[in-house]
Structures are given as C-alpha cells and as structure tokens.
Amino acid sequence: MELQFKEQFYDATVVVIPGTRQRVSRTEQNQQLTDWMKKTKHIPLQYMWENGIKVELSKIFEAKIKDALQRGNAIGADGRKYTFVEPDNLFPICSSICVRAIAEGESHADAYGVDFFV
C-alpha cells in the first residue's frame, strides 16, 4: 500500500488489521473493517485489501476528524460548510471511510470521505 497521505500527515503509517489475511467478500471485508474501527476507535485515511486489510493511519488526522465529528460540522475541501448526519455512523466506500453530510444551502445528505473535511 502506498502512503497516499504521507505529505499531508507526516505520522502516516500502514497497519494490517489482525485476522484479515484470508480473502473474503467485499461485504464481509467492509464488516471486518467497521468492526475493527469500532473496537479500536481508529479512523483510517484509506484502506485496501492487499494480503489482509491494510489501513493508513495518522494520529494527527484522527484528532482533527474526531474533533470535527464531535462538533457536528466542518468546512469541506470545497470551502463550503457541512453538517454531519449521524457523525458516529462511519462506513467504508471503495477505499475511503465516509460520513453522511449536508452542505449548507442543500436539502439532502451525501456520502463524503472523511479526508474531505481535514
């Protein structure tokens, strides 16, 4: 796994989630990842399956995103203000960890990668 966020977060590292070496369906993989996140309280920058589920972690990133989620809102990478919908409900899509949010002035929520808000 390439450290995609190393330039933005100097403390970025890659970790293999224990017990994920055997290839499983995408649904089971997402459940393993979600269960691990709930158990460890980690929020990865990205994840992928490569001889196990590998996640890119950063303490700096986690502190920033957890603060935003706790506040319930954040400024997105596009400069707009967003309000989180169920900020405790993080979920994997493709290689990102996502949260549902509503942009100011909009009437519906969309899924955004949490790195969009840091």
Side-chain angles (χ1 to χ4, degrees):
M1 174 182 222
E2 187 177 320
L3 289 170
Q4 182 177 339
F5 293 91
K6 189 69 174 175
E7 288 183 25
Q8 189 175 357
F9 303 103
Y10 70 87
D11 68 333
T13 60
V14 173
V15 173
V16 177
I17 297 176
T20 63
R21 295 269 186 218
Q22 183 177 346
R23 185 74 172 175
V24 294
S25 72
R26 175 72 72 175
T27 301
E28 290 172 302
Q29 173 187 304
N30 288 350
Q31 189 61 52
Q32 288 176 333
L33 177 58
T34 302
D35 291 346
W36 177 82
M37 286 172 40
K38 288 178 183 175
K39 180 180 174 184
T40 64
K41 306 284 192 248
H42 284 302
I43 302 173
L45 285 151
Q46 67 171 336
Y47 70 95
M48 68 179 294
W49 199 93
E50 184 182 288
N51 195 21
I53 300 172
K54 292 186 178 183
V55 294
E56 185 174 0
L57 298 174
S58 163
K59 289 181 181 180
I60 296 168
F61 165 78
E62 282 188 29
K64 289 182 176 187
I65 194 61
K66 286 178 179 179
D67 179 62
L69 293 170
Q70 186 175 25
R71 280 193 325 269
N73 60 60
I75 304 296
D78 60 359
R80 297 169 65 190
K81 184 175 181 178
Y82 290 81
T83 301
F84 298 119
V85 177
E86 298 180 54
D88 293 335
N89 184 23
L90 301 179
F91 51 93
I93 296 179
C94 296
S95 63
S96 297
I97 303 303
C98 298
V99 64
R100 293 186 54 77
I102 301 173
E104 192 172 79
E106 298 290 328
S107 60
H108 67 283
D110 285 316
Y112 296 89
V114 292
D115 60 299
F116 180 74
F117 301 105
V118 175

